[in-house]
Amino acid sequence: GIPFFHCGDEILRSKSLDRDSYNSGDWLNRIDFSYNSNNWGVGLPPKEKNEKNWPLIRPRLADPSFKPQKSHILAALENFSDVLRIRYSSPLFRLRTANAIQERICFHNTGPSAVPGVIVMSIEDGHEGVPGLSQLDSNYSYIVVIFNSSPTEVSFVSPALQGKNLQLHPIQVKSVDEIVKNSSYEANSGCFVIPPRTTSVFVEPRAT
């Protein structure tokens, strides 16, 4: 939900690794809405709550490869905007009761055989063959969201998700992020392929 995004997350806001910047002032808490800088590497964070981590923090703040360029900040902002547009593209992303969530949402990559670092979530809307589930979305009957937090591409096969008419969300198809466009789904096998450190959204358009 939106409350989990806070104060510059979408533009790679940095506090130079200060673990608690509540009393650190503007020097570490500055947000640059010109997108030229994310305030990385402006100095060691205060001693009180960070000193024991200074040996880890110091070389990272000094490493120029850790500092994002304006292009990185703008890419993060564009990807964040895509997330918002996807959220508003379906009421299934904005279920309002616990019952609605329990009825419609299912997690597929679970148990001892789960693929590490991957969350697979489906959201089902009312459609033919699903008695008792009301229709909320006039565009999509089924949505699958896959979070791949691992540094490598992953393949995930699910018999429960086999044979569906799933396709990458139109917003991601048109995204400036070329990586997400490499996400794929094969209906016959129920196999999803997700690029490294990518969240992919697949939708099943409602039959007309």
Side-chain angles (χ1 to χ4, degrees):
I2 299 303
F4 285 97
F5 297 109
H6 176 69
C7 208
D9 286 346
E10 74 282 8
I11 53 174
L12 304 181
R13 178 198 178 196
S14 163
K15 299 178 287 184
S16 289
L17 298 179
D18 189 346
R19 66 180 299 270
D20 182 356
S21 68
Y22 185 78
N23 290 315
S24 295
D26 291 344
W27 186 259
L28 289 170
N29 283 312
R30 184 176 292 110
I31 303 176
D32 180 5
F33 288 109
S34 72
Y35 312 134
N36 288 307
S37 169
N38 76 331
N39 211 42
W40 172 265
V42 295
L44 278 173
K47 177 178 179 179
E48 180 185 3
K49 295 180 179 179
N50 298 279
E51 185 179 20
K52 68 179 181 180
N53 290 321
W54 277 355
L56 294 173
I57 292 173
R58 200 177 263 115
R60 286 161 176 79
L61 294 180
D63 187 339
S65 70
F66 279 63
K67 185 176 180 65
Q69 304 302 309
K70 183 172 185 175
S71 60
H72 301 136
I73 295 171
L74 290 173
L77 179 60
E78 184 62 34
N79 287 334
F80 176 82
S81 298
D82 281 351
V83 169
L84 294 185
R85 286 191 284 265
I86 289 170
R87 182 178 187 269
Y88 280 101
S89 72
S90 173
L92 297 174
F93 285 119
R94 305 189 303 280
L95 300 175
R96 298 182 180 276
T97 67
N99 283 341
I101 291 169
Q102 290 167 352
E103 287 175 347
R104 298 169 188 270
I105 292 180
C106 181
F107 290 92
H108 299 268
N109 185 35
T110 60
S113 62
V115 179
V118 178
I119 298 172
V120 182
M121 177 183 77
S122 66
I123 317 173
E124 187 166 19
D125 199 15
H127 56 91
E128 187 177 350
V130 184
L133 200 60
S134 60
Q135 180 181 323
L136 301 179
D137 190 331
S138 60
N139 296 315
Y140 306 126
S141 58
Y142 206 86
I143 296 175
V144 176
V145 184
I146 303 183
F147 305 84
N148 176 16
S149 66
S150 70
T152 58
E153 178 183 276
V154 298
S155 296
F156 175 78
V157 177
S158 170
L161 300 174
Q162 194 173 356
K164 294 192 174 295
N165 183 31
L166 291 167
Q167 52 194 248
L168 192 63
H169 197 291
I171 289 172
Q172 293 191 317
V173 169
K174 297 177 182 178
S175 175
V176 297
D177 177 12
E178 294 297 325
I179 294 175
V180 74
K181 295 177 183 179
N182 294 322
S183 308
S184 65
Y185 165 75
E186 209 282 317
N188 289 336
S189 62
C191 179
F192 297 84
V193 177
I194 308 299
R197 296 196 173 101
T198 295
T199 298
S200 304
V201 181
F202 297 86
V203 292
E204 183 174 65
R206 191 172 292 283
T208 55

